[in-house]
Amino acid sequence: MSIAIAQPRHIFGLRSSIAGNIAFHDEQTIVFPSGANCILYNTDAKTQRFIPGSEKSEGMTAMVVSPNRRYIAIAEKGEKATITIYDLHSLRKRKILSSPDIQSSEFVSLAFSPDSKYLVAQGGKPDWTLLYWTWEKSKVMASTKTSNPQTNGAIYQVAFNPQDNTQLCVVGNGVFKLFRYSEGNLKQFAIQKTEGQKNYLCETWVSDERVVVGTDTGRMLLFESGELKHEFNLSGMPHHSMETERMASNVDTLPTNAGPPHITALVAYSKGFACAVGRGTVHLYEKSDDKEFFKKVREIKIPQDPNSSDPARALNQTITCLAVSPSEENLVCTTDVNQMYMIPLSSADLSKGDQATFETLSQMFHSSQVTGLDICIRKPVIATCSMDRSIRIWNFESCNVELYKEFAEEAYSIALHPSGLYILVGFSDKLRLMNLLIDDIRTFKEFPIRGCRECSFSNGGHLFAAVHGNIIQIYSTTTFENLANLKGHNGKVRSVVWSADDNKIVSCGLDGAVYEWDTINGKRIGESVLKSCSYTSVAITPDGKTMFAVGSDKKLKEIADSQILRNVESGDVTLTTVAMSHSGRMLFTSTNTGTLRAMKFPLTQPGEWNEYQGHASATTKMKITYDDQYLVTVSEDACVMIWKIQDKEGRGIKRDKEVGYAEEILITKSDLEEKNTIMAELKTRVDELKMENEYQLRLKDMNYNEKIKELTEKFIQEMESLKTKNQVLKTEKDKDETKHEEELSETMEKHAKELQDLESSNNQKLMMEYEKYQELQAKSQKMQEDYERQLQEMEENKERSLEELTEYYETKLQEMTTRLEQAHDESRQQSREYDETKRQIEEDGDREILDMKNKYERRLREEKEANTKLKGETGIMRKKFNSLQREIEDHKEEIKKYHVETIKLNNIIKNLEKDIAGLKKEIQERDETIQDKEKRIYDLKKKNQELEKFKFVLDYKIKELKKQIEPRENDIKAMKEQIQEMESELERFHKQNTQLELNITELRQKLKATDKEMHQERQRVRDVEAAVRRFKTDLHNCVGYIQDPKLLKESIRALYQKHVQEDISETASVDADIQKEYARQREHLERSVASLRKKLVKDTEIHRADNVRIMQENVTLIKEINDLRKELKIARSSVHDLEAALGLHRKSNKDRAVEVVAELTTTNRNAALQRDLEEKVKVVTLQKDEIVRLRNQIREMELMIPDRNGSITPKLIPI
């Protein structure tokens, strides 16, 4: 007793109703949902890996791959909506997320944050709650309701900002909202006023601030920071009428109308974004600098289906999801009819502006419920039919579609002949027997059975059974006769199975009956009826004794001898199909939830089984291959799934490897004849092309041979002309060489003389310059001493002037003080006089008044007169008094003036004291500057001494380095000589090669000449032989006249005249002499050419040596000139240092320098110094002129002496 093991091997199908149903794991791996699994499909290896769904879930609703391509989140529907996160590398579960905050049983959209640490999940109806997770901690960070409370419109998609973990966008029916996570809450920002007017279907972020949103009115909206920046109107494009519009992010169908195209999917990439517009069309937009931000560059269409009865029907597919590969090389899309397409973006970019078409990715899948399934015995193929009106032949070994065709009617059942060459298909109108041709499925026999829901070939293939309502009809495959009609079922027959020996048929139906039929006489031999159960599938053991049936009562029944032996409960699920292996050791059932159960066999009560997640809907058919290696299941979810099966011990039917699978194919005679004619035409065409190519090759060979002959003749002519030119050039070269040697010797003699003159003159000038330098140094010392003496004298004069000024101002101050005292004394005396006069006047007045009082009566008149007199006197006295007061005030003003003058004088004294202090400071500063300059002069002297020491050391080092350099230079010279020898050897080899080539050409010419002579000799021999034959015939004719002497004589004379014409020996001797003379002259010319070549080599070596020697002399001259320049530079720098020491180089001291020179010249009036200066100026100008003349002369020599070796002569550095 054992339970079989089943592993998913391959699945054909796609679930397009899941949000985000396609994504890239890496460049070669695509992730998509199929059945109840998530598939990782490698496009290169064509292999699949599976992530199975959860056990108690009701199917997937959304999926998303993280930006770092490491994780996948799968949302599943159930009593409680859950999210499972898997590692894409190990395919292991990482986390299972669920939350009590959500009322919905499903999530409609998922999105990972840019750093893959956070996950947002949009819940479904009724509450449309958005959850913000840190998924690694299984913690809900925030939640909010996203739908509008007034309309409660559906939400389709949620997406993160690609640069910001805290910002996300939500779109739905009348919903466009931007949220930002902060402080544990999701807060809406940039609220749109008109958001309720549009049905937003999809979205994508094209940058960290811009988001593009698609609507159901054919408009794309570009938002930047929540503000509408641009609107793309795509409703003007041609579109097809829409039956249904599905969104990639929701299972709900959108409103159906024949209006503008819906924008159903968007995806962004680095250059721009792609959008799915209307039916089967994708537009590519790229960034632009204009106001529209993006411009349309490409339109991509879904290709037509050539296997369909209506090829253009494929264009009516609605694209539900788009994805771009990580390297942005490929764009993939899925459609609402479960198909996947791909296009390389590089090819889309190549021909921008044109229309491109997608390519099918993987296979073309079924788009609707699969109703029929059968497996072939002789070939590894599966046949399926579907409600999508298509029949497909799959290869379960290579996992691909071998043949595929769509028909006008729906197909309900299918049976595959054991040979794999025919199929039996039950269409809605008729039952058709068809040939499986190499590239087509073609009908060759029709049976009048409408809506045949079940048909099956016998194991031998000679019979087939077809269900017609409640009747099972048995036909012969060869004669197509109806051999038997099996009547007995009261309801529809749902399953017909042949026994292994084809003697028995087992059938089951909705009437609760399981019947056994004898195929030979058409009688019922066994029955099991249970009206409470509607059977859907039956299986039979290889020995034909036991049957297994499943039905609506959720039990697996084991039936033998028309009795139910066991009822195995299946739990809370309904079993839909059952299959028995051909070895009789494995039993499988499937459920209405799409799971596969491997039952423990033999059956036990209660039953034991292993359950595997397979399909997302009820399994409709299940078959096991005849080698028990694979199990095939088909389902209402339009998927075909292949399982690898084995029992616990790993046993199974061992297939004979030598026999293998059949490789025969069917082809019609007309097709074969057509292909044979095409092949014959192609062969004839190939033969014609070969003939043409050979003819063309021959023509080319002839043309090339003619061209080679012409070229050889031209080459010979050119060689002769070049020889003559070479002789002319040699003569000219000899003349030029002799001339050049004479000029070179003259220039060398001049050069040597000029060098000697220059050396002597330069030595004399250097001596004179050195003496002048010493004299200048002595003069500078004298000038320094004079300058110091003048400074002392100036200081003494300054002190004397200061003393005189102080004495002058002190005397002036004393005078002013004495004047001030005198003015004070005068003012005191005047005040005393004034008081005295006043007192006396008062006394006189009193006396007179007393006299008047005493003598009033007596002297009234006299007194009146006296009174008048006194009045006059008093007026005079008042005037005097006023004048005295004015004088006093004037004195006071003078005193004030004197006081002001004293203050002014005090200020002047203070200013003078300040001037005295400033002058003292200036004297101190000048003393300090003089000391600094003396220190600097002392430091410069020290530096000069140190530099002289360094010079001595450096001279010593230079000598040592020269000693070290000399052997290396000798090595370099030796290496150069070796290189020259090698070059000369190479030139010799080259010359030998050229000589050999010339010899070869000469030999070839000689060979040609000898060939010609040989041909001439052969012709001569032929001519002589012909002449001898003629002579023999003539002589034979003469011999006929031997009896007649006259005729004999005439005939001999005629013979002589005919054959003896000229002297041949003379011509032969002349030809021999000419050939000897030609050979002698040729040898003489060859000897002269060889001697000239030797002479040329010697001359070139001599000239090279001369050039090297001249170059060395030029280098030594340049070195000497550079040394002279250095010495001149040193002399200038020393003069500059002296000027700096004397302070005569500053701009401010230019006038001072002129004055010093003028003083020196005027005071000393040294005529010798003046002459010395003039001589120095003259010498400097002469040296400059001499240097210019030498440079010009060297330049002329360089121009006159051409450099044969191509070496570059060093140029003189300009002064």
Side-chain angles (χ1 to χ4, degrees), residues 535-567:
Y535 288 109
T536 55
S537 181
V538 68
I540 188 169
T541 56
D543 58 5
K545 294 179 180 179
T546 309
M547 295 168 288
F548 301 93
V550 294
S552 60
D553 62 350
K554 301 181 181 179
K555 293 177 183 178
L556 171 63
K557 297 175 180 63
E558 184 179 353
I559 302 168
D561 297 330
S562 302
Q563 292 181 355
I564 298 171
L565 299 179
R566 288 182 186 85
N567 268 325

Side-chain angles (χ1 to χ4, degrees), residues 814-922:
Q814 287 174 358
E815 287 176 0
M816 293 300 287
T817 49
T818 50
R819 281 184 188 174
L820 194 66
E821 287 173 356
Q822 285 175 2
H824 279 296
D825 293 337
E826 286 175 357
S827 64
R828 284 193 211 102
Q829 192 174 357
Q830 285 176 0
S831 62
R832 279 198 301 272
E833 286 177 356
Y834 172 71
D835 291 334
E836 186 66 29
T837 51
K838 189 178 178 184
R839 188 177 57 77
Q840 287 176 1
I841 288 162
E842 285 176 352
E843 286 177 355
D844 290 339
D846 292 334
R847 202 183 297 121
E848 286 175 358
I849 289 162
L850 288 168
D851 290 336
M852 283 170 71
K853 281 179 181 179
N854 293 325
K855 293 174 183 179
Y856 179 71
E857 291 176 354
R858 290 181 300 181
R859 298 178 182 175
L860 185 60
R861 292 178 183 171
E862 291 176 2
E863 283 179 2
K864 283 182 180 177
E865 292 174 0
N867 196 7
T868 51
K869 287 178 183 178
L870 284 168
K871 281 180 182 178
E873 287 176 1
T874 52
I876 292 163
M877 289 300 289
R878 280 176 186 165
K879 287 178 181 175
K880 282 182 181 179
F881 179 73
N882 290 327
S883 63
L884 285 168
Q885 275 186 342
R886 284 194 203 100
E887 285 177 1
I888 288 160
E889 286 174 358
D890 292 335
H891 283 300
K892 283 180 181 177
E893 285 176 0
E894 283 179 0
I895 288 160
K896 285 178 183 177
K897 285 178 183 177
Y898 286 133
H899 188 64
V900 170
E901 283 181 2
T902 52
I903 290 163
K904 284 180 181 178
L905 288 167
N906 286 325
N907 289 328
I908 289 163
I909 288 159
K910 286 177 184 177
N911 290 327
L912 288 168
E913 285 174 354
K914 285 178 183 177
D915 290 336
I916 289 158
L919 288 165
K920 284 180 180 177
K921 283 180 184 177
E922 193 176 350

Side-chain angles (χ1 to χ4, degrees), residues 487-549:
K487 297 177 182 179
H489 282 284
N490 296 324
K492 291 182 179 179
V493 179
R494 297 300 304 272
S495 182
V496 176
V497 180
W498 292 79
S499 63
D501 56 3
D502 292 338
N503 290 328
K504 189 166 64 174
I505 286 178
V506 178
S507 64
C508 69
L510 297 177
D511 56 354
V514 176
Y515 294 138
E516 293 179 60
W517 308 87
D518 189 340
T519 57
I520 297 168
N521 54 26
K523 291 181 179 180
R524 188 165 61 199
I525 58 174
E527 64 179 31
S528 175
V529 180
L530 186 66
K531 291 186 177 180
S532 62
C533 177
S534 297
Y535 288 109
T536 55
S537 181
V538 68
I540 188 169
T541 56
D543 58 5
K545 294 179 180 179
T546 309
M547 295 168 288
F548 301 93

Side-chain angles (χ1 to χ4, degrees), residues 640-755:
V640 179
M641 195 166 181
I642 301 169
W643 304 77
K644 175 77 174 172
I645 59 171
Q646 59 182 7
D647 62 6
K648 241 342 187 236
E649 288 79 15
R651 292 175 296 172
I653 296 172
K654 291 184 179 178
R655 189 176 184 86
D656 192 352
K657 292 182 180 178
E658 292 180 1
V659 176
Y661 288 113
E663 295 181 355
E664 298 86 8
I665 53 167
L666 279 181
I667 187 166
T668 61
K669 190 176 180 182
S670 59
D671 290 343
L672 188 63
E673 286 173 354
E674 189 180 345
K675 284 181 180 176
N676 286 331
T677 53
I678 290 165
M679 280 179 69
E681 287 174 1
L682 288 169
K683 280 180 181 178
T684 54
R685 179 66 180 155
V686 166
D687 294 334
E688 287 173 2
L689 286 168
K690 279 182 180 177
M691 292 289 287
E692 284 179 8
N693 285 330
E694 287 174 0
Y695 178 66
Q696 292 291 333
L697 282 167
R698 285 197 203 97
L699 283 174
K700 284 180 180 177
D701 288 336
M702 290 169 68
N703 291 327
Y704 286 141
N705 288 326
E706 289 175 359
K707 285 179 182 177
I708 287 163
K709 286 178 183 178
E710 290 175 0
L711 286 167
T712 49
E713 290 173 358
K714 283 181 183 178
F715 180 69
I716 291 161
Q717 291 174 1
E718 286 174 0
M719 281 288 289
E720 290 174 355
S721 63
L722 284 168
K723 279 180 183 178
T724 53
K725 283 180 183 177
N726 193 10
Q727 288 177 356
V728 173
L729 286 168
K730 277 179 183 176
T731 53
E732 289 178 357
K733 183 188 165 240
D734 293 335
K735 290 178 183 177
D736 290 338
E737 280 179 356
T738 52
K739 190 178 178 182
H740 177 68
E741 284 174 357
E742 290 173 359
E743 290 175 353
L744 194 70
S745 60
E746 289 175 1
T747 51
M748 289 300 292
E749 288 173 1
K750 284 180 184 177
H751 187 62
K753 286 178 184 177
E754 286 172 358
L755 267 173

Side-chain angles (χ1 to χ4, degrees), residues 305 307-309 313 337 339 364-373 383-394 401 403-414 423 425-427 434 441 638 640:
D305 189 359
N307 296 311
S308 174
S309 57
R313 193 165 63 188
V337 293
Q339 305 302 328
M364 292 293 287
F365 303 136
H366 283 297
S367 60
S368 187
Q369 175 185 348
V370 183
T371 55
L373 168 70
T384 59
C385 63
S386 170
M387 297 298 286
D388 62 4
R389 303 175 180 178
S390 70
I391 293 170
R392 296 167 201 264
I393 308 299
W394 314 84
V401 176
L403 203 55
Y404 150 54
K405 189 172 182 179
E406 283 190 12
F407 295 89
E409 297 85 19
E410 293 175 346
Y412 297 123
S413 60
I414 193 166
I423 56 169
V425 184
F427 287 99
M434 299 180 163
I441 301 172
V640 179

